[in-house]
Amino acid sequence: MRAMKKGLMSIVGVALLGTQLVACGNTNTANSANEPSNNTDKSEPAATETAAKPAEITWWNFPSFQALDGEVGKYEKEIIAAFNEKNPEIKVNLEMITFEGGPEKLNVAIASNTAPDVIYDAPGRIIDWGKKDLLAPLNDMVTDEVKNDISEAFWKQSSVGDETFMYPINTAPFMMAVNKTVFEKIGALDLLPLDKEDRTWTFEEYKKALEAVKEKAPDVIPTGFFAKSQAGDQGTRAYLANLGVSRFLNEDNSAVAINTDNAAKALDWIVQATKDKLSVSGAASLAAADVNDLFLQGKLAFTLNYSAVLKAQNVSKKMVEFEDVLLPFPTLDGSEPKLEPYLGGMAVFNNGDEAKITASKKLIDFIANDPVWGKKNLIQTGGLSVRNSITGLYDDAEYKYAEYARKFTTDAPTIADGYADIRTFWFPELQRALTGGATGKEALDSFAAKANEAITKAKAAMK
């Protein structure tokens, strides 16, 4: 156990002093969760071996599942009802939170010792909580069969050292998206790489597509960029990294790698593209959601922060009818892109009550692995399974491409020591470049200096 292990209240004190937490198959459920297990097979998760005890838990959920009948939280209530058919002794209190206000609400709850018992989120926040000893390890839920069916890259994103803090469930590579209908209307569909199986393309090909939109569809903004808040930062860093044929962090996450000359030129181009009206104006004060909203209104030809999950979630949010198609980020030289993975999973806050922790693990196991609801839940997220053995969930060309594009998946920087601080330095430097306060190289070098210091401090604190 790490030297800095502390009780929850100690961490609360640290959080109050200014820690910035804000960001953004089948295991064997045949062993009925409400029956004591006599199974001596050590591949069985311990969570299902524990005798059923009455418990009341609270599940806070971002809208990770698509709303049912337009009602946010209705699908989650159906999950709970189905869970209670097998686990009537566990009462689950659901509270839906938003991506906009949820992170701050979680901060306040943690600081006031009222954190929920269960949450469905992503590594960016979960691993930070894990490093601060706010979560209960989930190692006893990970059978050998599950362990071997999920790639090591996903386990790295779900763990701190040898302790698993996030039970990974769904994934999809983060990509760009294009309004294909716009290109059909202007007779420029041939400028998109849709006739290639891998859909890879170069910066020059991308730029020609932007120029065609500017010339032939003056009411449509060719592409977007944003730098207002931390949400969606994976889109901007992947865009820059691929245009510059670089990485955000180096391979062992010990230092920033994106402050290369090529990435700096890419950032300078983004600034110039804004002036040339190839990219949305006012990017320094736009958030990822603002840019995606423009895309969903049909006012933007390309958007930077998209995935199969977001594509599914956005169906009901489109203000006009158009066909949105997934694309990889263009690279300077046409080489294979590097796509950060979206990874969703569940975590359990260690609120000091073993009965609640055990009950929370049963809920997670049901959501992820129930023979009926496991697959149903995956489809409701719009994501792909993290399990290598579960494929072909969707009969849709874009989902088939999303599964194909998993070959381009790279490791995400979310597991880097100090990541919660690293991401706070990213957008302010992009804003400096976008507003003319720094060149691309100056901004990226400044980011690198601050981020590297945060990594060093975080590593020292872990010893």
Side-chain angles (χ1 to χ4, degrees):
M1 187 66 67
R2 296 175 302 286
M4 288 193 66
K5 186 174 180 65
K6 303 173 181 176
L8 180 59
M9 289 306 295
S10 297
I11 296 302
V12 166
V14 174
L16 283 169
L17 289 174
T19 301
Q20 299 186 53
L21 292 171
V22 176
C24 221
N26 182 18
T27 56
N28 200 337
T29 51
N31 175 26
S32 178
N34 58 355
E35 295 177 0
S37 172
N38 295 319
N39 196 334
T40 56
D41 182 353
K42 296 306 179 184
S43 67
E44 292 289 325
T48 59
E49 294 174 348
T50 306
K53 295 181 180 178
E56 182 171 346
I57 60 175
T58 300
W59 173 21
W60 282 18
N61 200 43
F62 290 100
S64 302
F65 300 100
Q66 297 167 61
L68 197 61
D69 301 327
E71 180 182 334
V72 174
K74 183 176 181 178
Y75 182 77
E76 285 84 345
K77 292 175 184 174
E78 291 194 357
I79 292 177
I80 293 169
F83 172 71
N84 280 147
E85 288 181 6
K86 295 184 176 181
N87 302 273
E89 78 286 357
I90 299 174
K91 181 179 180 181
V92 182
N93 300 310
L94 173 69
E95 182 167 347
M96 296 300 298
I97 55 178
T98 66
F99 288 114
E100 292 75 24
E104 182 58 29
K105 187 168 184 174
L106 280 160
N107 283 348
V108 173
I110 291 169
S112 59
N113 203 25
T114 57
D117 298 296
V118 191
I119 191 159
Y120 198 135
D121 201 0
R125 277 182 285 268
I126 288 177
I127 294 307
D128 190 55
W129 293 329
K131 289 179 178 178
K132 292 178 169 66
D133 286 334
L134 293 168
L135 303 178
L138 306 179
N139 296 44
D140 58 350
M141 292 185 67
V142 182
T143 65
D144 291 343
E145 184 253 337
V146 170
K147 180 73 175 177
N148 296 330
D149 199 24
I150 296 176
S151 73
E152 185 60 26
F154 289 145
W155 286 121
K156 284 182 179 178
Q157 283 187 266
S158 305
S159 307
V160 178
D162 59 359
E163 291 184 325
T164 299
F165 286 114
M166 186 177 86
Y167 196 90
I169 296 177
N170 63 330
T171 185
F174 277 117
M175 290 185 269
M176 297 172 61
V178 62
N179 183 327
K180 182 182 175 184
T181 305
V182 167
F183 279 85
E184 289 173 334
K185 287 181 178 177
I186 64 175
L189 203 55
D190 61 317
L191 295 179
L192 302 177
L194 301 180
D195 58 344
K196 299 169 64 176
E197 182 183 26
D198 62 8
R199 302 185 184 179
T200 57
W201 56 336
T202 67
F203 168 67
E204 287 300 326
E205 291 170 333
Y206 170 58
K207 196 165 68 169
K208 285 182 181 176
L210 301 182
E211 290 167 346
V213 173
K214 178 184 175 183
E215 177 186 348
K216 300 178 180 178
D219 294 336
V220 179
I221 304 165
T223 193
F225 198 72
F226 50 88
K228 180 182 178 181
S229 64
Q230 292 178 16
D233 52 353
Q234 69 275 353
T236 55
R237 61 184 180 236
Y239 187 47
L240 262 181
N242 280 286
L243 288 178
V245 196
S246 179
R247 290 175 55 92
F248 187 69
L249 301 181
N250 63 9
E251 292 191 0
D252 64 4
N253 292 323
S254 64
V256 167
I258 200 169
N259 56 327
T260 64
D261 289 342
N262 279 338
K265 290 177 182 175
L267 181 52
D268 288 335
W269 173 79
I270 291 169
V271 174
Q272 187 60 45
T274 303
K275 296 174 182 174
D276 294 342
K277 301 189 183 307
L278 290 176
S279 189
V280 68
S281 62
S285 58
L286 293 176
D290 298 327
V291 173
N292 267 354
D293 283 347
L294 288 172
F295 183 69
L296 297 174
Q297 292 168 24
K299 297 178 179 177
L300 201 67
F302 290 92
T303 190
L304 304 184
N305 194 42
Y306 229 65
S307 69
V309 174
L310 287 171
K311 177 177 166 61
Q313 292 177 352
N314 285 338
V315 168
S316 62
K317 300 177 182 177
K318 283 184 178 176
M319 304 298 289
V320 295
E321 287 295 322
F322 68 91
E323 184 179 358
D324 48 350
V325 173
L326 297 170
L327 284 175
F329 294 99
T331 60
L332 182 64
D333 55 3
S335 56
E336 288 191 349
K338 294 182 175 66
L339 306 180
E340 287 190 23
Y342 162 81
L343 181 60
M346 300 191 72
V348 177
F349 279 95
N350 183 1
N351 288 324
D353 186 325
E354 286 301 322
K356 286 178 179 285
I357 292 173
T358 299
S360 298
K361 290 178 180 179
K362 286 183 178 179
L363 176 62
I364 293 174
D365 187 59
F366 177 83
I367 290 172
N369 301 314
D370 182 82
V372 174
W373 283 83
K375 179 179 178 180
K376 187 175 178 180
N377 294 338
L378 270 173
I379 293 173
Q380 197 70 17
T381 68
L384 309 171
S385 174
V386 293
R387 302 281 292 268
N388 295 324
S389 62
I390 302 176
T391 59
L393 291 170
Y394 308 91
D395 185 19
D396 177 278
E398 292 311 296
Y399 274 103
K400 289 178 181 176
Y401 177 68
E403 284 201 344
Y404 177 92
R406 288 178 70 166
K407 65 183 285 187
F408 301 134
T409 301
T410 186
D411 50 324
T414 50
I415 58 174
D417 294 328
Y419 174 74
D421 289 330
I422 292 170
R423 68 185 312 187
T424 66
F425 306 129
W426 178 240
F427 279 134
E429 292 300 336
L430 295 186
Q431 287 176 335
R432 282 213 305 142
L434 289 166
T435 55
T439 65
K441 191 70 168 74
E442 289 169 344
L444 294 182
D445 281 344
S446 178
F447 166 71
K450 296 172 184 173
N452 288 338
E453 183 179 355
I455 293 171
T456 300
K457 286 182 178 178
K459 286 185 178 297
M462 294 289 290
K463 294 179 180 177

